[in-house]
Amino acid sequence: MGRIVVISTGGTIASRWQGSGFAADAHGREVMATAAVPEGVTIEVVDLFSVNSPRLTTAHQLTLLRTVHEVLDDPGVNGIVVTHGTDTLEESAFLVDLHHDDPRPVVFTGAQLPLDAADGDGPGNLHDALLTAATTRGLGVVVAFDGKVHPARGTVKTQTLARDAFGDPSGAPVGNVGFGRVSVLRRPRRPAALALPGMPGTPPRVDMVMHHADADPLLLNAAVDAGAQGLVLVATGAGNATPEMVQAVASAGARGVLVALTTRVQAGPVAELYTHGGAVDLVAAGAVPSGTLRAGQARIAVLAALLASTDPRERERVLRHALGEAVSADADPAVQLVQT
């Protein structure tokens, strides 16, 4: 079925007991040794790093992004599997998806149980990811986990410990894995890919601030004063806060800070419905609504916009593009299944 490159980055799928808790320490070949490889698939392993995913930095993620592009420079590669910690998998996968312009798949996977667990889920997830990478085309970047295939865009970790850890609360999977095949259910809608960014010496700072009862602009203003070039306001409801937060957003924008507006509610879009500090006023103050993307992926969209340009207007345009304002299903390549 093809040649698949596995990029190993650590996470629970590569974790062992350290005396007081689990931590990533296994190399990619050790992880691969636990899984059944689909017939006809050949494997190459790239050990990029081995860390618990909460420790990932923007520099790690940009290194992963560039590595994916370097691997796909080889026309003999049929697809990529990235083994990744589940805590920040949704962010890394979305970053790669924003810059992915190739019909060959990039499939992220991981585990909820550690490497040596007798009933671990890592081997099954890895097998499914390999099968997805070898037999599909035109899906963009996806997440293969617990028998389902999810689009990178919109998919978040929905369970802290359960095996069925990922999903898009506002959408549906793109496929299922079972009986030795991948059943593609739909084609994800994705904007045109962004150009590959450079590797900045110091990546731009992008912070997140959550609104709540009694919240004031103190933390938002502190982030700006600390040098944040981008912010994500995690509002309540359909994207609502207070008049004081609106003023803080306007002041941040006046200082050149790019602001995205999302919500702490699990599912549904940000919507301009309410004034008196609601989304109507926040958007008028310069915040860019994130649609159904939640905080982690909204932050990645802001980061991508900051890396794309130094011009404030162009940054906002790229942010709106990354958030999917003008996504067209017609712009995507057709989903294909590789004949096996």
Side-chain angles (χ1 to χ4, degrees):
M1 285 190 286
R3 177 177 158 217
I4 306 300
V5 175
V6 178
I7 302 175
S8 177
T9 69
T12 298
I13 197 169
S15 291
R16 296 190 180 96
W17 183 253
Q18 306 294 320
S20 59
F22 293 96
D25 71 353
H27 295 296
R29 293 191 182 281
E30 295 178 84
V31 175
M32 275 303 311
T34 68
V37 177
E39 185 177 355
V41 172
T42 60
I43 303 298
E44 297 175 19
V45 177
V46 175
D47 277 304
L48 197 58
F49 30 78
S50 185
V51 296
N52 292 0
S53 70
R55 295 178 57 202
L56 286 184
T57 63
T58 297
H60 281 117
Q61 291 173 319
L62 290 175
T63 298
L64 172 59
L65 173 62
R66 297 193 75 85
T67 301
V68 167
H69 279 248
E70 289 165 2
V71 169
L72 291 176
D73 281 341
D74 182 348
V77 172
N78 296 94
I80 292 176
V81 168
V82 179
T83 58
H84 197 290
T86 58
D87 285 3
T88 56
L89 184 152
E90 65 204 55
E91 298 170 41
S92 298
F94 185 53
L95 177 66
V96 176
D97 190 55
L98 283 175
H99 299 87
H100 185 59
D101 187 18
D102 193 300
R104 292 171 292 177
V106 178
V107 185
F108 278 70
T109 196
Q112 291 285 73
L113 294 169
L115 180 68
D116 296 332
D119 58 345
D121 57 333
N125 287 341
L126 187 48
H127 170 273
D128 290 353
L130 292 169
L131 188 64
T132 303
T135 62
T136 64
R137 293 290 183 273
L139 293 176
V141 178
V142 296
V143 178
F145 220 94
D146 197 47
K148 300 181 183 68
V149 181
H150 304 280
R153 175 179 291 270
T155 291
V156 297
K157 188 172 184 181
T158 59
Q159 296 283 344
T160 58
L161 300 177
R163 291 171 182 255
D164 188 10
F166 286 91
D168 179 354
S170 301
V174 296
N176 294 313
V177 186
F179 300 99
R181 67 186 302 267
V182 181
S183 300
V184 177
L185 306 175
R186 66 181 182 91
R187 178 174 59 178
R189 301 178 67 195
R190 304 167 59 232
L194 300 176
L196 186 66
M199 290 288 287
T202 302
R205 179 176 182 131
V206 183
D207 288 318
M208 297 190 293
V209 177
M210 181 177 285
H211 184 63
H212 53 83
D214 285 338
D216 61 28
L218 176 67
L219 296 180
L220 192 152
N221 292 335
V224 174
D225 291 340
Q229 297 182 46
L231 288 169
V232 177
L233 176 58
V234 186
T236 55
N240 306 308
T242 63
E244 293 77 16
M245 202 69 82
V246 170
Q247 182 56 52
V249 167
S251 297
R255 295 173 64 175
V257 178
L258 192 60
V259 182
L261 174 66
T262 186
T263 171
R264 69 187 202 186
V265 180
Q266 182 183 30
V270 171
E272 295 173 62
L273 299 173
Y274 296 99
T275 184
H276 288 188
V280 170
D281 301 334
L282 288 164
V283 171
V288 179
S290 68
T292 59
L293 295 187
R294 292 314 186 248
Q297 293 192 341
R299 180 186 172 276
I300 290 296
V302 173
L303 173 66
L306 295 175
L307 292 170
S309 177
T310 58
D311 178 74
R313 290 186 180 181
E314 178 63 8
R315 283 178 164 180
E316 182 175 332
R317 185 197 71 78
V318 174
L319 174 59
R320 292 182 182 279
H321 177 86
L323 291 172
E325 281 195 359
V327 169
S328 170
D330 295 334
D332 291 337
V335 171
Q336 303 169 16
L337 286 178
V338 178
Q339 297 302 314
T340 59

mmCIF file of all heavy atoms in Angstrom, residues 255-284:
data_model
loop_
_atom_site.group_PDB
_atom_site.id
_atom_site.type_symbol
_atom_site.label_atom_id
_atom_site.label_comp_id
_atom_site.label_asym_id
_atom_site.label_seq_id
_atom_site.Cartn_x
_atom_site.Cartn_y
_atom_site.Cartn_z
ATOM 1 N N ARG A 255 -2.610 49.082 19.850
ATOM 2 C CA ARG A 255 -1.179 48.831 20.027
ATOM 3 C C ARG A 255 -0.650 47.764 19.070
ATOM 4 O O ARG A 255 0.462 47.281 19.218
ATOM 5 C CB ARG A 255 -0.901 48.431 21.477
ATOM 6 C CG ARG A 255 -1.187 49.553 22.474
ATOM 7 C CD ARG A 255 -1.078 49.114 23.922
ATOM 8 N NE ARG A 255 0.267 48.690 24.300
ATOM 9 C CZ ARG A 255 0.627 48.354 25.540
ATOM 10 N NH1 ARG A 255 -0.285 48.415 26.527
ATOM 11 N NH2 ARG A 255 1.847 47.974 25.812
ATOM 12 N N GLY A 256 -1.477 47.373 18.110
ATOM 13 C CA GLY A 256 -1.041 46.419 17.103
ATOM 14 C C GLY A 256 -1.223 44.969 17.475
ATOM 15 O O GLY A 256 -0.698 44.082 16.787
ATOM 16 N N VAL A 257 -1.974 44.689 18.542
ATOM 17 C CA VAL A 257 -2.189 43.314 18.991
ATOM 18 C C VAL A 257 -3.356 42.712 18.211
ATOM 19 O O VAL A 257 -4.421 43.327 18.096
ATOM 20 C CB VAL A 257 -2.450 43.260 20.506
ATOM 21 C CG1 VAL A 257 -2.712 41.831 20.955
ATOM 22 C CG2 VAL A 257 -1.278 43.866 21.278
ATOM 23 N N LEU A 258 -3.159 41.514 17.707
ATOM 24 C CA LEU A 258 -4.196 40.791 16.956
ATOM 25 C C LEU A 258 -5.034 39.986 17.942
ATOM 26 O O LEU A 258 -4.493 39.190 18.717
ATOM 27 C CB LEU A 258 -3.526 39.872 15.936
ATOM 28 C CG LEU A 258 -4.382 39.220 14.860
ATOM 29 C CD1 LEU A 258 -5.076 40.270 14.002
ATOM 30 C CD2 LEU A 258 -3.517 38.316 13.990
ATOM 31 N N VAL A 259 -6.352 40.177 17.918
ATOM 32 C CA VAL A 259 -7.233 39.545 18.905
ATOM 33 C C VAL A 259 -8.259 38.655 18.211
ATOM 34 O O VAL A 259 -8.957 39.094 17.291
ATOM 35 C CB VAL A 259 -7.964 40.601 19.753
ATOM 36 C CG1 VAL A 259 -8.850 39.912 20.813
ATOM 37 C CG2 VAL A 259 -6.970 41.540 20.424
ATOM 38 N N ALA A 260 -8.349 37.404 18.647
ATOM 39 C CA ALA A 260 -9.393 36.483 18.197
ATOM 40 C C ALA A 260 -10.388 36.276 19.332
ATOM 41 O O ALA A 260 -10.013 36.286 20.511
ATOM 42 C CB ALA A 260 -8.806 35.147 17.766
ATOM 43 N N LEU A 261 -11.646 36.085 18.969
ATOM 44 C CA LEU A 261 -12.721 35.903 19.946
ATOM 45 C C LEU A 261 -13.300 34.506 19.824
ATOM 46 O O LEU A 261 -13.807 34.123 18.770
ATOM 47 C CB LEU A 261 -13.825 36.946 19.711
ATOM 48 C CG LEU A 261 -15.088 36.809 20.565
ATOM 49 C CD1 LEU A 261 -14.786 37.049 22.044
ATOM 50 C CD2 LEU A 261 -16.156 37.786 20.061
ATOM 51 N N THR A 262 -13.215 33.726 20.903
ATOM 52 C CA THR A 262 -13.843 32.405 20.935
ATOM 53 C C THR A 262 -14.705 32.321 22.190
ATOM 54 O O THR A 262 -14.973 33.326 22.848
ATOM 55 C CB THR A 262 -12.785 31.293 20.870
ATOM 56 O OG1 THR A 262 -13.436 30.020 20.768
ATOM 57 C CG2 THR A 262 -11.891 31.274 22.099
ATOM 58 N N THR A 263 -15.159 31.126 22.519
ATOM 59 C CA THR A 263 -16.045 30.951 23.667
ATOM 60 C C THR A 263 -15.607 29.745 24.491
ATOM 61 O O THR A 263 -15.008 28.805 23.966
ATOM 62 C CB THR A 263 -17.498 30.764 23.216
ATOM 63 O OG1 THR A 263 -18.304 30.395 24.355
ATOM 64 C CG2 THR A 263 -17.626 29.675 22.162
ATOM 65 N N ARG A 264 -15.950 29.792 25.761
ATOM 66 C CA ARG A 264 -15.647 28.653 26.638
ATOM 67 C C ARG A 264 -16.722 27.571 26.548
ATOM 68 O O ARG A 264 -16.581 26.505 27.138
ATOM 69 C CB ARG A 264 -15.499 29.134 28.080
ATOM 70 C CG ARG A 264 -16.786 29.611 28.713
ATOM 71 C CD ARG A 264 -16.561 30.240 30.074
ATOM 72 N NE ARG A 264 -17.778 30.232 30.874
ATOM 73 C CZ ARG A 264 -17.893 30.828 32.055
ATOM 74 N NH1 ARG A 264 -16.868 31.488 32.562
ATOM 75 N NH2 ARG A 264 -19.017 30.756 32.735
ATOM 76 N N VAL A 265 -17.810 27.818 25.791
ATOM 77 C CA VAL A 265 -18.859 26.823 25.579
ATOM 78 C C VAL A 265 -18.338 25.743 24.641
ATOM 79 O O VAL A 265 -17.614 26.021 23.687
ATOM 80 C CB VAL A 265 -20.124 27.480 25.000
ATOM 81 C CG1 VAL A 265 -21.220 26.445 24.781
ATOM 82 C CG2 VAL A 265 -20.610 28.592 25.916
ATOM 83 N N GLN A 266 -18.726 24.504 24.881
ATOM 84 C CA GLN A 266 -18.139 23.376 24.162
ATOM 85 C C GLN A 266 -18.417 23.404 22.669
ATOM 86 O O GLN A 266 -17.533 23.141 21.851
ATOM 87 C CB GLN A 266 -18.645 22.056 24.748
ATOM 88 C CG GLN A 266 -18.036 20.830 24.085
ATOM 89 C CD GLN A 266 -18.594 19.529 24.634
ATOM 90 O OE1 GLN A 266 -19.731 19.456 25.069
ATOM 91 N NE2 GLN A 266 -17.773 18.494 24.633
ATOM 92 N N ALA A 267 -19.649 23.701 22.268
ATOM 93 C CA ALA A 267 -20.027 23.581 20.859
ATOM 94 C C ALA A 267 -20.797 24.802 20.402
ATOM 95 O O ALA A 267 -21.370 25.544 21.202
ATOM 96 C CB ALA A 267 -20.867 22.320 20.639
ATOM 97 N N GLY A 268 -20.816 24.993 19.078
ATOM 98 C CA GLY A 268 -21.552 26.102 18.487
ATOM 99 C C GLY A 268 -20.650 27.261 18.117
ATOM 100 O O GLY A 268 -19.536 27.381 18.608
ATOM 101 N N PRO A 269 -21.137 28.146 17.237
ATOM 102 C CA PRO A 269 -20.308 29.243 16.751
ATOM 103 C C PRO A 269 -20.347 30.472 17.649
ATOM 104 O O PRO A 269 -21.299 30.679 18.411
ATOM 105 C CB PRO A 269 -20.943 29.567 15.397
ATOM 106 C CG PRO A 269 -22.401 29.280 15.618
ATOM 107 C CD PRO A 269 -22.434 28.078 16.529
ATOM 108 N N VAL A 270 -19.308 31.300 17.523
ATOM 109 C CA VAL A 270 -19.366 32.654 18.051
ATOM 110 C C VAL A 270 -20.358 33.428 17.189
ATOM 111 O O VAL A 270 -20.359 33.303 15.963
ATOM 112 C CB VAL A 270 -17.975 33.316 18.005
ATOM 113 C CG1 VAL A 270 -18.062 34.796 18.356
ATOM 114 C CG2 VAL A 270 -17.025 32.591 18.949
ATOM 115 N N ALA A 271 -21.223 34.236 17.822
ATOM 116 C CA ALA A 271 -22.268 34.941 17.079
ATOM 117 C C ALA A 271 -22.448 36.352 17.636
ATOM 118 O O ALA A 271 -22.465 36.553 18.855
ATOM 119 C CB ALA A 271 -23.598 34.172 17.151
ATOM 120 N N GLU A 272 -22.597 37.302 16.737
ATOM 121 C CA GLU A 272 -22.796 38.701 17.119
ATOM 122 C C GLU A 272 -24.276 38.936 17.426
ATOM 123 O O GLU A 272 -25.064 39.295 16.555
ATOM 124 C CB GLU A 272 -22.305 39.617 16.005
ATOM 125 C CG GLU A 272 -20.804 39.531 15.768
ATOM 126 C CD GLU A 272 -20.372 40.316 14.550
ATOM 127 O OE1 GLU A 272 -20.567 41.551 14.548
ATOM 128 O OE2 GLU A 272 -19.871 39.695 13.586
ATOM 129 N N LEU A 273 -24.643 38.715 18.685
ATOM 130 C CA LEU A 273 -26.031 38.822 19.111
ATOM 131 C C LEU A 273 -26.241 39.917 20.148
ATOM 132 O O LEU A 273 -27.252 40.614 20.125
ATOM 133 C CB LEU A 273 -26.513 37.482 19.691
ATOM 134 C CG LEU A 273 -26.484 36.282 18.738
ATOM 135 C CD1 LEU A 273 -26.832 35.014 19.507
ATOM 136 C CD2 LEU A 273 -27.457 36.504 17.588
ATOM 137 N N TYR A 274 -25.306 40.045 21.090
ATOM 138 C CA TYR A 274 -25.521 40.910 22.239
ATOM 139 C C TYR A 274 -24.571 42.098 22.241
ATOM 140 O O TYR A 274 -23.421 42.008 21.816
ATOM 141 C CB TYR A 274 -25.341 40.113 23.536
ATOM 142 C CG TYR A 274 -26.359 39.010 23.699
ATOM 143 C CD1 TYR A 274 -26.033 37.699 23.371
ATOM 144 C CD2 TYR A 274 -27.641 39.291 24.143
ATOM 145 C CE1 TYR A 274 -26.963 36.680 23.496
ATOM 146 C CE2 TYR A 274 -28.585 38.272 24.270
ATOM 147 C CZ TYR A 274 -28.239 36.979 23.941
ATOM 148 O OH TYR A 274 -29.175 35.983 24.055
ATOM 149 N N THR A 275 -25.084 43.203 22.776
ATOM 150 C CA THR A 275 -24.284 44.392 23.005
ATOM 151 C C THR A 275 -24.005 44.507 24.512
ATOM 152 O O THR A 275 -24.031 43.503 25.215
ATOM 153 C CB THR A 275 -24.980 45.634 22.423
ATOM 154 O OG1 THR A 275 -24.127 46.763 22.587
ATOM 155 C CG2 THR A 275 -26.329 45.885 23.060
ATOM 156 N N HIS A 276 -23.683 45.690 25.008
ATOM 157 C CA HIS A 276 -23.310 45.874 26.412
ATOM 158 C C HIS A 276 -22.138 44.963 26.783
ATOM 159 O O HIS A 276 -22.125 44.337 27.851
ATOM 160 C CB HIS A 276 -24.493 45.631 27.353
ATOM 161 C CG HIS A 276 -25.525 46.716 27.292
ATOM 162 N ND1 HIS A 276 -26.590 46.803 28.151
ATOM 163 C CD2 HIS A 276 -25.662 47.785 26.449
ATOM 164 C CE1 HIS A 276 -27.345 47.864 27.854
ATOM 165 N NE2 HIS A 276 -26.788 48.463 26.818
ATOM 166 N N GLY A 277 -21.172 44.855 25.888
ATOM 167 C CA GLY A 277 -20.001 44.021 26.143
ATOM 168 C C GLY A 277 -20.043 42.683 25.444
ATOM 169 O O GLY A 277 -19.113 41.883 25.577
ATOM 170 N N GLY A 278 -21.104 42.437 24.683
ATOM 171 C CA GLY A 278 -21.223 41.174 23.970
ATOM 172 C C GLY A 278 -20.425 41.148 22.688
ATOM 173 O O GLY A 278 -19.645 42.059 22.374
ATOM 174 N N ALA A 279 -20.629 40.087 21.904
ATOM 175 C CA ALA A 279 -19.850 39.894 20.687
ATOM 176 C C ALA A 279 -20.039 41.042 19.694
ATOM 177 O O ALA A 279 -19.118 41.373 18.943
ATOM 178 C CB ALA A 279 -20.203 38.565 20.032
ATOM 179 N N VAL A 280 -21.217 41.657 19.672
ATOM 180 C CA VAL A 280 -21.432 42.806 18.790
ATOM 181 C C VAL A 280 -20.378 43.867 19.052
ATOM 182 O O VAL A 280 -19.745 44.402 18.127
ATOM 183 C CB VAL A 280 -22.851 43.377 18.985
ATOM 184 C CG1 VAL A 280 -22.997 44.715 18.265
ATOM 185 C CG2 VAL A 280 -23.905 42.392 18.498
ATOM 186 N N ASP A 281 -20.167 44.182 20.318
ATOM 187 C CA ASP A 281 -19.224 45.235 20.692
ATOM 188 C C ASP A 281 -17.775 44.775 20.579
ATOM 189 O O ASP A 281 -16.900 45.553 20.177
ATOM 190 C CB ASP A 281 -19.502 45.692 22.129
ATOM 191 C CG ASP A 281 -20.919 46.218 22.307
ATOM 192 O OD1 ASP A 281 -21.498 46.695 21.306
ATOM 193 O OD2 ASP A 281 -21.437 46.142 23.428
ATOM 194 N N LEU A 282 -17.514 43.518 20.932
ATOM 195 C CA LEU A 282 -16.142 43.012 20.860
ATOM 196 C C LEU A 282 -15.644 42.974 19.417
ATOM 197 O O LEU A 282 -14.492 43.339 19.135
ATOM 198 C CB LEU A 282 -16.068 41.621 21.484
ATOM 199 C CG LEU A 282 -16.200 41.586 23.011
ATOM 200 C CD1 LEU A 282 -16.497 40.169 23.493
ATOM 201 C CD2 LEU A 282 -14.929 42.110 23.672
ATOM 202 N N VAL A 283 -16.508 42.564 18.491
ATOM 203 C CA VAL A 283 -16.115 42.545 17.083
ATOM 204 C C VAL A 283 -15.928 43.966 16.572
ATOM 205 O O VAL A 283 -14.985 44.267 15.832
ATOM 206 C CB VAL A 283 -17.146 41.766 16.251
ATOM 207 C CG1 VAL A 283 -16.873 41.918 14.756
ATOM 208 C CG2 VAL A 283 -17.134 40.290 16.647
ATOM 209 N N ALA A 284 -16.818 44.886 16.974
ATOM 210 C CA ALA A 284 -16.665 46.286 16.576
ATOM 211 C C ALA A 284 -15.368 46.878 17.106
ATOM 212 O O ALA A 284 -14.774 47.769 16.480
ATOM 213 C CB ALA A 284 -17.861 47.095 17.073
#
